[in-house]
Amino acid sequence: MDSPIDIARDLTAVFSLLAVMIFLVINTLRQTLDRMQAEGIERLRAEQALRAEEERFRKIFDLSPVAINVTSLKDGRLLEANEAYWQLTGFDPKTAIGRTTIELTIWDTEEQRQDFVRRLSAYKSLHNPNYEFVNVAGEKHITIAFYELIDSGNEPCILSMFYDITDQKQAQIARQRSDEHFRKVFHVSPVAIVITTLT
């Protein structure tokens, strides 16, 4: 049998070794927890920044004077639109969201829509500087139309933007008519008219 001193020495060595191992385990756990906490804080900051960015985008989307909508590429289903879009089209958001562009009569036929989808898929972006938009009341609006192929989640979508230039076009037409009227009056007038510059 070992003497009590040998047993005490062995137990002291075992306890010392256990104490060192416990210290190492606790230290490793503390470092792991600190690292996890730092990663959690970083992840939380990233999520907050992402939420802030999404909120900024949402405000820009909702308040934009440009009519914007998002439709699915696959079937043309209207997924989202802003207030300017509802005003331009006259659609009711409660009944229009979830319907296809064929059901909303934006396209006359599915073949027309598929031709557009093929062109957009090939070029990724399309622009029409003189797109005539007829709303549900039958009113015609001249718009500058932009289309972008985007990813929304796992689904390819079409981002459509329409800038209404009807007032500018009408003003341009009125000015052209006025110019034509002036030219006709100028050329057929029996009175001599001279235009000079002031210098």
Side-chain angles (χ1 to χ4, degrees):
M1 282 189 70
D2 291 335
S3 69
I5 293 177
D6 289 338
I7 293 173
R9 188 184 62 233
D10 291 343
L11 285 175
T12 302
V14 168
F15 285 133
S16 297
L17 186 60
L18 280 174
V20 168
M21 289 178 64
I22 289 171
F23 171 78
L24 290 173
V25 167
I26 290 172
N27 193 36
T28 303
L29 284 173
R30 183 178 293 125
Q31 288 175 355
T32 303
L33 287 173
D34 288 346
R35 189 170 55 250
M36 287 173 64
Q37 185 179 16
E39 288 172 1
I41 290 170
E42 190 60 36
R43 191 177 308 117
L44 183 62
R45 284 184 186 149
E47 288 171 1
Q48 288 172 339
L50 182 61
R51 272 197 298 274
E53 191 64 31
E54 286 173 352
E55 192 174 316
R56 272 194 298 275
F57 173 78
R58 171 59 53 195
K59 284 180 183 175
I60 291 168
F61 180 85
D62 289 338
L63 300 175
S64 173
V66 176
I68 306 170
N69 75 16
V70 178
T71 56
S72 65
L73 183 70
K74 180 181 174 184
D75 59 3
R77 194 162 303 281
L78 182 60
L79 304 174
E80 196 168 4
N82 68 353
E83 185 59 33
Y85 181 78
W86 303 126
Q87 289 178 3
L88 176 67
T89 62
F91 293 141
D92 180 358
K94 293 177 186 142
T95 56
I97 292 288
R99 295 178 66 194
T100 67
T101 50
I102 296 293
E103 292 170 336
L104 295 170
T105 64
I106 292 172
W107 295 105
D108 293 330
T109 65
E110 180 61 25
E111 290 76 28
Q112 286 178 334
R113 193 187 85 79
Q114 286 300 327
D115 180 54
F116 169 78
V117 166
R118 276 190 290 277
R119 285 187 294 122
L120 184 60
S121 296
Y123 294 104
K124 309 299 183 218
S125 179
L126 295 173
H127 168 243
N128 185 342
N130 204 24
Y131 179 73
E132 187 174 271
F133 204 106
V134 182
N135 68 14
V136 293
E139 300 166 335
K140 293 182 180 178
H141 293 268
I142 305 301
T143 67
I144 301 172
F146 299 93
Y147 305 96
E148 292 285 334
L149 192 59
I150 63 168
D151 279 325
S152 180
N154 296 327
E155 181 181 16
C157 292
I158 302 168
L159 175 68
S160 305
M161 296 171 281
F162 305 95
Y163 180 64
D164 192 350
I165 57 169
T166 306
D167 293 341
Q168 294 95 314
K169 281 286 186 184
Q170 288 172 345
Q172 182 182 12
I173 291 167
R175 190 181 73 240
Q176 287 171 346
R177 285 182 184 157
S178 175
D179 289 349
E180 285 175 25
H181 181 69
F182 174 77
R183 273 194 297 277
K184 286 178 183 174
V185 169
F186 182 79
H187 289 295
V188 298
S189 174
V191 178
I193 302 172
V194 178
I195 301 174
T196 61
T197 58
L198 295 174
T199 54

